[in-house]
Amino acid sequence: MNGTDRADSGVLEGAVIAVAGAAGPAGRATLLRLAEAGATVVASDANPERLVEAVDAARYAHGGATVTGDTVDLLDPGAAREWALKTEKEFGRVDGLVHLVGGWRGGSGFADTSLADWDFLEKLLIRTVQSTSLAFQEVLQRSDRGRYVLISAAGASSPTAGNAAYAASKAAAEAWTLALADAFRKAGGDEGPTTAAAILVVKALVHDAMRAERPNAKFAGFTDVTELAEAIAGVWDRPAGEVNGKRLWLTPQP
């Protein structure tokens, strides 16, 4: 997938897309892109202040767009399910869940790996995926264009000594998402899936504030958050069968 290809706004016009982890730079870019495409966007984040800022920015950038925000504890499967059902009840459908919850911890080498980092990342990168996928599976299957989109990292396929906890967490999140994709495949039967779970893989993300802080850095192989947002929207451009269970690389594959 080419991350610079713009999504056809008609595909997302009227769609209802939930975005988990919406308050960071990638989340903000995604809210803007989905609102621009005509989608109703339901954002969540653990930080209520940053979430309000992100939602307001998307609303103001695209007058008339419906962008709402909920503070949801995605470590609580019940809260995640309540969010999914509430969204479906309020808007009549849910056509997507974009999982942008992220974070990183690591060390200089394998011997320096802290299991406290694993405990932190297991909750942030795995448990939140488990909660959202279980909560949204049936809701997405009721859509005619349901998509579950996970953002992952190339390190999950090529872990380095200092990134054991992070890479293992990302790999587990990918495996869980691929299991969801298999459930969608089986639900589609002989006609193939109508709902898809896809993984967008980046080396790392970059945004304008990072460039301002490090003006001499090249950020080689990094994906700009606006390019990521384009690629996320583009998942709806392709039939479910083409993207279900697929890793879609936005950086050269190792």
Side-chain angles (χ1 to χ4, degrees):
M1 174 182 294
N2 186 340
T4 62
D5 289 342
R6 294 187 67 83
D8 178 1
S9 62
V11 176
L12 284 169
E13 186 71 40
V16 179
I17 313 296
V19 180
R28 289 182 177 228
T30 299
L31 298 187
L32 287 168
R33 181 66 187 96
L34 295 175
E36 177 188 34
T40 293
V41 189
V42 182
S44 79
D45 200 272
N47 187 313
E49 292 80 14
R50 292 176 64 199
L51 179 61
V52 168
E53 293 174 0
V55 167
D56 286 348
R59 283 177 180 162
Y60 294 147
H62 302 291
T66 300
V67 185
T68 66
D70 289 307
T71 303
V72 182
D73 179 8
L74 295 180
L75 295 178
D76 179 354
R81 181 168 177 76
E82 182 180 349
W83 180 42
L85 295 177
K86 172 188 172 185
T87 301
E88 184 182 42
K89 181 178 180 180
E90 182 172 354
F91 297 105
R93 59 190 296 131
V94 181
D95 302 296
L97 185 288
V98 180
H99 196 279
L100 290 168
V101 180
W104 178 86
R105 286 189 180 180
S108 58
F110 188 79
D112 297 326
T113 299
S114 167
L115 293 183
D117 289 348
W118 168 258
D119 292 340
F120 172 80
L121 293 170
E122 184 270 337
K123 292 182 177 67
L124 192 68
L125 303 182
I126 303 174
R127 288 295 299 276
T128 59
V129 170
Q130 293 170 329
S131 292
T132 55
S133 58
L134 291 169
F136 280 85
Q137 177 195 357
E138 293 182 358
V139 174
L140 293 175
Q141 286 182 176
R142 289 194 281 270
S143 166
D144 60 356
R145 49 184 158 172
R147 301 288 186 273
Y148 184 96
V149 183
L150 174 73
I151 313 306
S152 190
S157 302
S158 54
T160 57
N163 273 327
Y166 177 77
S169 298
K170 282 294 190 182
E174 287 193 8
W176 190 275
T177 301
L178 294 175
L180 174 64
D182 190 54
F184 289 150
R185 179 187 63 80
K186 290 176 177 174
D190 293 339
E191 296 181 1
T194 58
T195 306
I199 300 166
L200 297 181
V201 184
V202 301
K203 176 182 178 181
L205 295 174
V206 64
H207 50 84
D208 288 344
M210 290 173 61
R211 293 190 181 93
E213 291 173 3
R214 300 170 58 193
N216 297 322
K218 297 186 182 298
F219 299 107
F222 284 37
T223 299
D224 190 276
V225 292
T226 58
E227 295 175 359
L228 175 65
E230 293 286 356
I232 289 170
V235 172
W236 276 265
D237 273 346
R238 298 167 62 178
E242 287 188 10
V243 296
N244 187 48
K246 298 295 192 296
R247 293 180 175 89
L248 308 173
W249 289 78
L250 305 184
T251 189
Q253 189 169 347

